[in-house]
Amino acid sequence: QVQLVESGGGLVQAGGSLRLSCVASGSIRSPSTMTWFRQTPGKQRDLVASIASTGDTNYAESVKDRFTISGDNAKNTVYLQMNSLKPEDTAVYYCHRNQFPFTSPDRYWGQGTQVTVSS
């Protein structure tokens, strides 16, 4: 089992910044991909950004040039730096880990952290 603990959410004004962190612990395996998703009430959970253990990253179009995902493999931690925040970024942000051998039991979710951007 792997445990994911997110932190860093909160309330911020439009144009502000927040940094989310997600720490993984437990039965950590490599290689892996860490992904941030977000979800608003009544909507599906959408991918925000992902980073592979190789360092390859992927972003949703809506956050490109504003959000940066990074990772510290030694600390099993992934970060999401969110700049120029907009009210539409308001959501619960979830950390997800997919790791070797990448079967269904190897996917894990954090509990989520609320991000609220006021206009």
Side-chain angles (χ1 to χ4, degrees):
Q1 281 290 329
V2 171
Q3 295 77 43
L4 301 175
V5 178
E6 300 111 329
S7 61
L11 174 63
V12 65
Q13 288 189 331
S17 299
L18 283 174
R19 189 176 84 150
L20 306 183
S21 300
C22 174
V23 180
S25 62
S27 302
I28 302 296
R29 295 191 185 98
S30 293
S32 64
T33 298
M34 298 284 284
T35 304
W36 287 99
F37 289 81
R38 64 187 182 188
Q39 187 173 28
T40 54
K43 295 193 175 181
Q44 68 179 19
R45 199 168 287 188
D46 293 326
L47 182 146
V48 177
S50 66
I51 185 167
S53 49
T54 57
D56 292 336
T57 59
N58 182 48
Y59 295 91
E61 284 295 326
S62 60
V63 306
K64 276 184 179 178
D65 301 324
R66 298 190 298 123
F67 291 9
T68 302
I69 190 170
S70 60
D72 185 334
N73 289 335
K75 296 182 179 179
N76 294 317
T77 301
V78 64
Y79 305 97
L80 185 67
Q81 178 66 44
M82 304 185 295
N83 299 328
S84 302
L85 282 161
K86 305 175 180 180
E88 52 263 44
D89 294 317
T90 296
V92 178
Y93 284 69
Y94 295 92
C95 179
H96 178 270
R97 181 178 178 90
N98 193 11
Q99 64 181 28
F100 179 86
F102 299 102
T103 61
S104 294
D106 304 296
R107 301 167 189 165
Y108 303 93
W109 290 95
Q111 81 286 354
T113 185
Q114 177 71 47
V115 171
T116 302
V117 184
S118 63
S119 56

